[in-house]
Amino acid sequence: MGLLNIIRRMSLREKLSIREISRRTGLSRNTITKHLNAGTIEPQFTTPDRQSKLDLFADKLAGWLKTEAGKSRKQRRTA
């Protein structure tokens, strides 16, 4: 949950004072007042779908893991 939502919930639902919200969150009273008066909605950022750097080697790594699983406990690589 975002910080703006936490501040609003404390102020509106729990009816806490700005000073008490400041104590609980560690933010200054000026910052809390600014967020409450702004009336803005917390931005929702979407992360683009990216491939992993390991995707190119996934087949090779899976093969290595299968061969290691077939070995006895003392002959497996542990690192």
Side-chain angles (χ1 to χ4, degrees), residues 40-66:
T40 58
I41 299 172
E42 186 143 4
Q44 298 289 329
F45 297 107
T46 58
T47 56
D49 293 335
R50 296 182 187 131
Q51 71 179 30
S52 171
K53 291 184 179 183
L54 294 178
D55 284 346
L56 301 173
F57 310 105
D59 295 332
K60 186 181 277 189
L61 291 171
W64 286 348
L65 289 173
K66 284 183 183 178

Side-chain angles (χ1 to χ4, degrees), residues 4-16:
L4 292 175
N5 293 335
I6 292 171
I7 291 172
R8 284 195 186 120
R9 186 184 69 226
M10 287 180 176
S11 176
L12 299 174
R13 287 186 189 168
E14 299 175 14
K15 303 292 184 191
L16 296 176

Side-chain angles (χ1 to χ4, degrees), residues 11-79:
S11 176
L12 299 174
R13 287 186 189 168
E14 299 175 14
K15 303 292 184 191
L16 296 176
S17 66
I18 292 175
R19 182 173 287 183
E20 182 62 27
I21 296 170
S22 173
R23 282 189 198 122
R24 290 187 183 185
T25 59
L27 298 172
S28 71
R29 292 182 314 211
N30 293 339
T31 304
I32 293 170
T33 305
K34 179 179 71 172
H35 286 310
L36 289 175
N37 291 338
T40 58
I41 299 172
E42 186 143 4
Q44 298 289 329
F45 297 107
T46 58
T47 56
D49 293 335
R50 296 182 187 131
Q51 71 179 30
S52 171
K53 291 184 179 183
L54 294 178
D55 284 346
L56 301 173
F57 310 105
D59 295 332
K60 186 181 277 189
L61 291 171
W64 286 348
L65 289 173
K66 284 183 183 178
T67 59
E68 290 294 317
K71 294 182 180 178
S72 67
R73 181 180 60 87
K74 289 190 175 185
Q75 291 182 348
R76 288 184 193 159
R77 295 184 184 139
T78 58

